[in-house]
Amino acid sequence: MVANQRTPTPATRQLSVQTSHDGKGIELQTPTSTSRSNLTPPVTPVGKDGNTEHSITRWNGETPAQTASLLKRNVSTSLRFLDDLKVDYDSNDRPIEFGRGAWSIVYKARATPSATIALNTPPSSPVATSYIYAVKAPARRDARPVLQAEALTLTRLNMTPGYERYIIPFHGYHSETEALVMSAIPLSLSTYIEDQADFMRNKGPSTATMFDPIQGPDSWRDLARKLISGLEWLHKIAGLIHGDIKPHNILLRPIPTDEPSTPSDADAFPYEPLFADFSSALDIPSPSSDHLAPVQDASHTSMSAFTPPFTAPELLSLAALKSGEVAATPASDVFSLAATLIAAATGDLLLYPGSSNMQRLAMAREGHRILEFTRCGTNGSRLPRAGFVEKLLQPAVAKDPTGRIDTSDWVTMAYA
């Protein structure tokens, strides 16, 4: 489970941003360091006013979406993590893991600011502070370029206005271990769903709540609104397709208890859901482009990492799997988020009620019937016909991807 307090953020090294010599790009410059480490210091753009917030928008007056487009064109170097990093071990001398994926293993680690930093940086406190992180390391040799590409994606996302509310905080690429360093948020939506399902099973059936989402109607609505808003930001502002949305790739950051609350907060979702794992991400093409641009080389955007229950049906056809040429789209992201919200409502991460993986895969290939199929499952009563869950999710699971609801319209519908 996640600790109730947030881990502190290391002090930012002073850096600068300036226009490149040819006037076409932006150069990220770091100060000289006397450290013996061969790692590059974290790259944090600094605005003209010296503020360490990403302030490209303030200089040039672009909209957030224009800023994201500029970042794609001009930022070609990922943030670098310089601090000393050590993985935590359990009592059996095994590294503590937060999770595993097709390409990587996420470890719990601690970092201490390096004793020697830039010459123009004020002296640090004599007391070294240890910070807890999630470190995403390659699980196999061919994962290294995938993680390097993801580091660049996260760098751009963490420079895009509004990122704080929607994606996992990224602290840099650790060259020595070839790993991504992120804030430690160990609670995933998948674990939360399983915990809620266990709680309801232990509590026993109740006719009063059997037609409501397993976490409660108000909490589910709040979760849905936050996630749909996050997907709209990802598509419309950041210009990115996630490519692998599922409960396991959504992390839950506790909402600080000292923030102002309203009477309705008692039943609200008590976490900020953050999208994580951008190893399958794709850039949404600009109006002048005619195809999706993979963030990394196409050979690394493999469908071998897909999770059938949460994958759009057009990506699961035999033709698509054999050719390997069908890529995720904004519409497939919409479907995947709808499937994720169905799992949150029913408490069932398998979604489909088949007795074998092959049966469930066959149902997933008919994904436009996902509400019908899941309604036949153990907790199908939580998806009543014409109920508010079905009304919100039905437009997102249309058979024809072009007929699925756009994220902007989906946000409007969610808050109606």
Side-chain angles (χ1 to χ4, degrees):
M1 299 298 288
V2 180
N4 290 327
Q5 66 270 13
R6 296 186 184 185
T7 56
T9 302
T12 304
R13 307 313 195 255
Q14 184 179 2
L15 303 170
S16 63
V17 179
Q18 67 177 28
T19 306
S20 61
H21 298 298
D22 60 7
K24 296 180 181 179
I26 295 173
E27 295 178 351
L28 304 179
Q29 297 186 329
T30 66
T32 7
S33 173
T34 59
S35 171
R36 293 185 180 180
S37 170
N38 60 356
L39 304 182
T40 307
V43 180
T44 303
V46 178
K48 290 184 177 179
D49 58 0
N51 192 321
T52 55
E53 292 181 0
H54 307 308
S55 51
I56 294 176
T57 303
R58 286 206 301 273
W59 315 337
N60 302 325
E62 289 91 0
T63 65
Q66 289 171 332
T67 298
S69 180
L70 284 172
L71 292 171
K72 288 180 185 179
R73 294 197 301 270
N74 296 316
V75 178
S76 57
T77 303
S78 61
L79 298 171
R80 300 289 168 171
F81 191 83
L82 178 63
D83 294 345
D84 299 325
L85 194 64
K86 293 183 179 179
V87 172
D88 278 8
Y89 286 78
D90 61 19
S91 57
N92 295 316
D93 203 31
R94 292 177 298 190
I96 298 174
E97 296 182 13
F98 284 144
R100 286 175 174 255
W103 301 105
S104 60
I105 303 173
V106 182
Y107 297 105
K108 179 182 179 181
R110 295 176 187 271
T112 304
S114 300
T116 309
I117 55 177
L119 292 174
N120 61 346
T121 304
S124 60
S125 167
V127 179
T129 305
S130 179
Y131 301 92
I132 300 175
Y133 292 102
V135 176
K136 184 176 183 179
R140 57 198 213 198
R141 188 170 299 175
D142 60 348
R144 292 168 183 167
V146 177
L147 294 191
Q148 290 169 355
E150 185 177 0
L152 181 58
T153 299
L154 286 167
T155 297
R156 293 169 178 169
L157 288 176
N158 275 258
M159 295 170 69
T160 303
Y163 76 96
E164 303 94 338
R165 297 175 55 192
Y166 303 121
I167 67 166
I168 181 73
F170 176 60
H171 299 282
Y173 180 77
H174 191 247
S175 302
E176 186 176 328
T177 58
E178 300 179 292
L180 312 184
V181 182
M182 298 165 287
S183 292
I185 306 176
L187 181 61
S188 67
L189 181 58
S190 60
T191 299
Y192 175 84
I193 290 171
E194 290 176 326
D195 289 346
Q196 291 295 307
D198 288 342
F199 174 78
M200 293 305 293
R201 275 194 294 270
N202 294 332
K203 185 179 179 181
S206 170
T207 55
T209 60
M210 63 183 296
F211 298 108
D212 293 335
I214 203 161
Q215 68 193 82
D218 293 331
S219 179
W220 185 90
R221 280 193 184 96
D222 192 33
L223 170 64
R225 288 168 176 169
K226 289 174 178 177
L227 283 174
I228 293 170
S229 296
L231 187 60
E232 183 195 31
W233 176 86
L234 201 61
H235 287 177
K236 305 297 185 180
I237 303 301
L240 197 75
I241 297 163
H242 185 283
D244 192 20
I245 293 175
K246 56 187 177 183
H248 312 73
N249 288 341
I250 295 169
L251 302 179
L252 304 181
R253 180 171 59 195
I255 295 175
T257 55
D258 56 350
E259 288 189 357
S261 60
T262 64
S264 61
D265 286 345
D267 296 320
F269 190 65
Y271 300 95
E272 295 172 333
L274 305 173
F275 288 104
D277 193 346
F278 289 87
S279 57
S280 298
L282 296 168
D283 283 332
I284 296 177
S286 63
S288 59
S289 303
D290 58 359
H291 63 281
L292 293 170
V295 175
Q296 63 268 355
D297 185 87
S299 63
H300 297 124
T301 312
S302 173
M303 281 295 290
S304 64
F306 72 97
T307 306
F310 303 99
T311 302
E314 63 271 16
L315 303 180
L316 292 175
S317 68
L318 289 174
L321 294 177
K322 285 181 179 179
S323 69
E325 296 177 356
V326 178
T329 64
S332 65
D333 266 1
V334 167
F335 180 95
S336 296
L337 183 54
T340 295
L341 289 169
I342 291 173
T346 62
D348 187 356
L349 292 175
L350 293 177
L351 286 178
Y352 299 100
S355 59
S356 70
N357 289 335
M358 291 305 296
Q359 284 182 319
R360 286 190 288 271
L361 176 59
M363 292 182 185
R365 285 177 172 152
E366 294 288 317
H368 63 286
R369 300 173 61 191
I370 187 170
L371 288 165
E372 173 189 340
F373 288 144
T374 52
R375 196 175 282 120
C376 297
T378 305
N379 292 326
S381 65
R382 299 187 183 279
L383 297 175
R385 295 183 186 277
F388 65 90
V389 174
E390 181 180 81
K391 288 179 179 178
L392 181 61
L393 301 185
Q394 187 70 68
V397 296
K399 183 175 183 178
D400 183 354
T402 63
R404 289 180 198 145
I405 193 168
D406 180 80
T407 50
S408 296
D409 295 332
W410 207 10
V411 169
T412 300
M413 187 178 182
Y415 280 92

